[in-house]
């Protein structure tokens, strides 16, 4: 076995599973009595009321408290995305059941529309006029055939140099179409990508289409019983490969000698380690604030209007539509996912804070959800590590952003993996390592 790593909650759960599969000796400590830290699933409902300091007990209309598993930071998984690949390669899928999200929607002019991402949907969509549909269909065909290694598919576009703005111009796409393509298909939070090389954006749109093709209704998956199941699955994986997991373990001190981490002190004992992975809440002096996110958990007794009575969906409000710099996200799940009492829906609104009145900023999203039975509002700081951790060997994850999908989180996981091991995260390589160490299945 190689050197020991100590880890704390959340994204760290995924890394603990991956590092264990890679033959590292892993100790995973969490100060909370539950898995997942800031991104935990809260059950029963009474605990959510207490956490947000809402006086009194939940009304009888909310059903049984234990029928609720409310994710504090809900995110969907792209069916063909990085997290699903991590789950498949580490075989954590055997501990989880997923359900396809019923729809992906985009906001335009105060209304919501289904996001078109196939040629057939593009032609049927009421988001665009007839000529725009034809141009968008042409663009989708181009994206589907795009292969940066085959010049014949590029039509004169240089994937590493041509800006995405130029690609949109080439296909003569209007502003509304650019909005939903960049924000609801490529899932960018701002418009900075327009002046960057187009390769990344085209591959993101491809990922969306391929994810959609897998299940048909939408490209997103959500685990039954909520996201709290994810860290538990990775914790089990880590245990199978010799990792140790400790909940309810207060962290008293991170011990650093000559600038390098050598251990963690908890309840008077020291666990020695060569590397440490943790979230920003454990090392406040080593992180800096780069912004804030507002999240509002809303309990509803009805599906969201104009979603065809979907029992789950994502709605993206592109920033241009509401005169903002960053998008507003709505993620809705329901009793169909075993996260709420029968007939109840949970919609979570999130965005990056831009003004002194964050609750005003999310009004366009809340209006889509009316009537709302109960709201739980939180504003959290966006924290990032001050350095890469190469000297101290303390590797800090970033705070969860406002997006409602896991792709940005996976980028962070791959980034920490690279900083720790010195090599890129490679799914195939990981599979081979697992077989080398533990034999084929």
């Amino acid at each position: 076995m190689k050197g020991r790593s100590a880890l704390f909650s959340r994204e760290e759960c995924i890394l603990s599973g991956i590092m264990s599969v890679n033959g590292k000796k892993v100790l995973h400590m969490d100060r909370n009595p539950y898995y997942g830290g800031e991104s935990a699933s809260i059950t029963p409902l009474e605990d959510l009321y207490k956490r947000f300091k809402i006086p009194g007990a939940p009304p009888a209309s909310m059903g049984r408290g234990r029928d609720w598993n409310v994710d504090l930071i809900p995110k969907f998984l792209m069916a063909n995305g990085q997290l699903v690949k991590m789950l498949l390669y580490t075989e954590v899928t055997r501990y989880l059941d997923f359900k396809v999200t019923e729809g992906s929607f985009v906001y335009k002019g105060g209304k919501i529309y289904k996001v078109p991402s196939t040629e057939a949907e593009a032609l049927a969509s009421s988001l665009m006029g007839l000529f725009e549909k034809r141009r968008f269909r042409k663009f989708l065909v181009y994206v589907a055939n795009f292969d940066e290694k085959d010049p014949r598919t590029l039509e004169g576009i240089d994937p590493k140099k041509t800006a995405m703005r130029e690609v949109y111009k080439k296909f003569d796409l209007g502003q509304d179409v650019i909005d939903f393509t960049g924000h609801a298909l490529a899932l960018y939070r701002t418009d900075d990508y327009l002046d960057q090389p187009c390769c990344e954006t085209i591959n993101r749109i491809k990922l969306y289409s391929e994810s959609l093709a897998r299940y048909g209704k939408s490209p997103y998956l959500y685990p039954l019983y909520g996201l709290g199941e994810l860290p538990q699955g990775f914790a089990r994986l880590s245990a199978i490969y010799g990792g140790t997991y400790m909940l309810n373990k207060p962290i008293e001190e991170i011990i650093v000698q000559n600038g390098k981490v050598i251990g963690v002190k908890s309840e008077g004992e020291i666990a020695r380690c060569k590397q440490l992975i943790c979230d920003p809440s454990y090392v406040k002096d080593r992180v800096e604030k780069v912004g804030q996110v507002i999240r509002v958990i809303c309990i509803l007794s009805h599906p969201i209007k104009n979603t065809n009575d979907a029992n789950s969906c994502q709605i993206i409000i592109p920033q241009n539509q509401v005169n903002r710099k960053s998008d507003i996200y709505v993620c809705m799940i329901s009793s169909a996912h075993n996260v709420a009492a029968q007939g109840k829906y949970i919609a979570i609104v999130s965005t990056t804070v831009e003004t002194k009145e964050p609750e005003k900023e999310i009004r366009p999203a809340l209006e889509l959800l009316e009537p709302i039975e109960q709201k739980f509002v939180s504003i959290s700081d966006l924290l990032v590590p001050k350095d890469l951790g190469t000297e101290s060997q303390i590797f800090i994850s970033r705070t969860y952003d406002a997006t409602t999908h896991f792709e940005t989180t996976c980028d962070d996981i791959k980034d920490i993996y690279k900083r720790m091991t010195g090599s890129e995260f490679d799914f195939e390589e990981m599979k081979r390592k697992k077989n080398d160490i533990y034999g084929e299945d």
Side-chain angles (χ1 to χ4, degrees), residues 94-216:
R94 67 175 82 165
Y95 309 120
L96 300 162
D97 282 319
F98 288 97
K99 220 178 171 131
V100 181
T101 306
E102 290 206 333
S104 182
F105 297 86
V106 66
Y107 179 98
K108 176 192 163 189
K111 288 198 186 113
I112 56 174
Y113 299 85
K114 185 159 183 347
V115 175
S117 59
T118 63
E119 295 167 46
E121 281 191 346
L123 292 173
S125 173
S126 53
L127 255 177
M128 305 167 273
L130 183 64
F131 296 113
E132 189 88 79
K133 282 178 184 176
R134 286 182 187 159
R135 292 194 289 267
F136 182 60
R137 184 180 164 273
K138 249 188 182 161
F139 170 73
L140 284 179
V141 171
Y142 173 77
V143 169
N145 294 327
F146 177 89
D147 177 356
E148 52 190 301
K149 294 183 184 73
D150 181 354
R152 287 170 307 181
T153 68
L154 303 179
E155 296 181 20
I157 284 169
D158 182 336
K160 298 276 184 273
K161 287 192 182 143
T162 312
M164 195 60 208
R165 194 186 293 280
E166 297 306 313
V167 178
Y168 287 145
K169 219 176 257 171
K170 177 183 162 74
F171 288 93
D172 201 15
L173 299 179
Q175 189 55 51
D176 284 345
V177 176
I178 290 172
D179 272 356
F180 80 71
T181 303
H183 297 266
L185 296 180
L187 300 174
Y188 284 109
R189 285 169 288 167
T190 66
D191 270 349
D192 298 350
Y193 80 96
L194 285 169
D195 297 308
Q196 287 160 4
C198 63
C199 191
E200 162 87 357
T201 304
I202 291 174
N203 284 329
R204 280 177 172 227
I205 299 167
K206 267 175 113 77
L207 168 65
Y208 189 99
S209 303
E210 286 160 7
S211 296
L212 183 81
R214 286 187 75 160
Y215 299 105

Side-chain angles (χ1 to χ4, degrees), residues 42-49 57-70 225 299 335 338-344 346 373:
I42 303 298
T43 185
L45 187 61
E46 288 74 4
D47 284 10
L48 190 71
Y49 272 65
S61 62
M62 294 286 189
R64 287 187 312 185
R66 65 175 181 276
D67 286 344
W68 294 80
N69 273 300
V70 182
Y225 301 102
I299 293 180
S335 49
N338 304 347
V339 295
Q342 206 49 45
K344 298 288 180 187
I346 303 170
E373 227 169 303

